[in-house]
Amino acid sequence: MMGRGQGSMLAGLLLLLCACTAPAAANLNMSALCLTVPDGMFVSSQMDCSSYYHCQGATASLMSCSNGQYFNKDTQTCVASSQSTCASKSHPCLGKTVGSFQPDSSSCGGYWYCGDSGAIYGSCPTGENFNPTTMACVYAYQYACSQSVVDSSSGASPGVEVALNLCSLIENGFYFGSASDCSGWNYCQDNVLHSGTCQNGLVFNVNGKSCGYRSPSSCAQVTNDPSLTGAVAPTTCTTSGTMKNATACNQYYLCTGSSYTLMTCGSGLYFDTVSQTCVARMQARNDCDRCLGSTKSFVNAYSSSGCNQYLYCVNGAQKAVETCPDNYYFNEDAGSCVYETEPAFKCCNPDGLSGQPATTAAKTTTTATTTTTTATTKTPA
Ligand SMILES: *[C@@H]1O[C@H](CO)[C@@H](O)[C@H](O)[C@H]1NC(C)=O
Ligand SMILES: *[C@@H]1O[C@H](CO)[C@@H](O)[C@H](O)[C@H]1NC(C)=O
């Protein structure tokens, strides 16, 4: 997808400093998930490869593999970590080969690259999903990872976000229930989710793994838990003129009458959530996806720890979070880390506080003003 090995030693240094933070993901409600699978089944944990859950009704009991083993959802057993397909959120590359890719179980397009210096988070370009079987970014129709995938930039459903890839947690090859529809069923094949509906008024029986007549205990799996159905923000509004931030920085929702309409800022402008207006990019206080819609390779990260962090973008998709050396701050307009005593860019410093206390040692030794080079981050084929 992109060239490799263009990086200099300096870029290698930047990668060493990589903060490697993944986008926040909704915590999965394991009780609600367990209700959709048969009693006695084991499901993976999103947080840690060596732990997993035993499901019995709405009771999810946390279990642990011993001896450094990882849980394998498809064999329903603990196996050597190298044989496991699990990607742990806290240590995604633990036990994995350097140079391999691991899926992010909480995002359809997210993945981890396991480099020499640890895990580096990346995202497939907009409209593509990460296929954990082939370890590649593919078009969403080729790998429909979740039933709740909605492209929020289309404006169809404000606030709807990708919840998770159910098939990274649930065993392949059997039918399980839907948290939002009593007649709905799901099925994972090669980690790809297939969904359907029982016909002729039948409902899905979770323990029978089949469609059947409704009984008094039917439909317990329908919890509409937002962590499973894809959290839905209200699509209706009451006060005309009210604004709400969108996924893309240059867009926002405007309440017109009783519903939100997706609006786009003028060229080069981003939506500022504080002043509720479109402003110059570097001044926009908006925790949005700053790579989305941008043609730049490097953009400021929004206030994770001041202006020293920045994002590496390829084709408008975030590939990595990187960090400037001490006393350097990222300046999106310059496209590089620059020496600055107190960066005033609101996009990465919304509280107006200095990003990092300066250290005198670094001050006396540093004279260069730009340090950013081409990135060495690798991407899936
Ligand atoms: C998780 O789901 C269960 C079953 O629907 C529900 O009773 C419980 O309140 C949920 N927990 C949270 C924290 O939402
Ligand atoms: C913007 O929207 C998202 C999702 O609704 C939210 O998490 C974020 O905190 C919002 N606010 C700002 C200041 O970006």
Side-chain angles (χ1 to χ4, degrees), residues 290-340:
R290 291 184 67 88
C291 285
L292 189 64
S294 169
T295 53
K296 294 177 189 246
S297 294
F298 299 99
V299 299
N300 279 99
Y302 178 80
S303 185
S304 39
S305 65
C307 294
N308 61 338
Q309 288 201 319
Y310 60 100
L311 310 176
Y312 169 51
C313 315
V314 174
N315 296 331
Q318 183 182 324
K319 295 292 175 185
V321 182
E322 297 178 357
T323 307
C324 297
D326 282 355
N327 300 309
Y328 282 75
Y329 299 97
F330 196 75
N331 183 320
E332 192 169 307
D333 292 337
S336 59
C337 292
V338 297
Y339 183 79
E340 193 113 24

Side-chain angles (χ1 to χ4, degrees), residues 29-33 35 58 220 222-227:
N29 182 330
M30 293 310 297
S31 275
L33 181 71
L35 283 168
V222 182
T223 56
N224 287 311
D225 193 279
S227 73

Side-chain angles (χ1 to χ4, degrees), residues 178-320:
S178 157
S180 56
D181 174 11
C182 191
S183 4
W185 52 258
N186 291 305
Y187 186 91
C188 296
Q189 184 172 31
D190 294 334
N191 299 320
V192 176
L193 185 75
H194 301 272
S195 303
T197 311
C198 298
Q199 300 301 305
N200 306 320
L202 298 181
V203 297
F204 186 76
N205 179 321
V206 171
N207 280 313
K209 298 181 237 175
S210 59
C211 296
Y213 293 109
R214 191 182 284 263
S215 74
S217 63
S218 295
C219 304
Q221 74 273 26
V222 182
T223 56
N224 287 311
D225 193 279
S227 73
L228 286 174
T229 57
V232 181
T235 53
T236 56
C237 56
T238 45
T239 314
S240 218
T242 311
M243 294 177 192
K244 178 165 142 12
N245 62 337
T247 306
C249 302
N250 66 338
Q251 296 190 313
Y252 59 96
Y253 293 104
L254 177 65
C255 180
T256 50
S258 60
S259 65
Y260 280 111
T261 307
L262 188 69
M263 310 291 288
T264 302
C265 294
S267 174
L269 302 181
Y270 273 1
F271 181 68
D272 179 45
T273 56
V274 178
S275 63
Q276 303 268 297
T277 50
C278 293
V279 300
R281 293 171 57 108
M282 295 278 288
Q283 301 309 325
R285 291 156 290 188
N286 190 339
D287 191 4
C288 52
D289 182 345
R290 291 184 67 88
C291 285
L292 189 64
S294 169
T295 53
K296 294 177 189 246
S297 294
F298 299 99
V299 299
N300 279 99
Y302 178 80
S303 185
S304 39
S305 65
C307 294
N308 61 338
Q309 288 201 319
Y310 60 100
L311 310 176
Y312 169 51
C313 315
V314 174
N315 296 331
Q318 183 182 324
K319 295 292 175 185

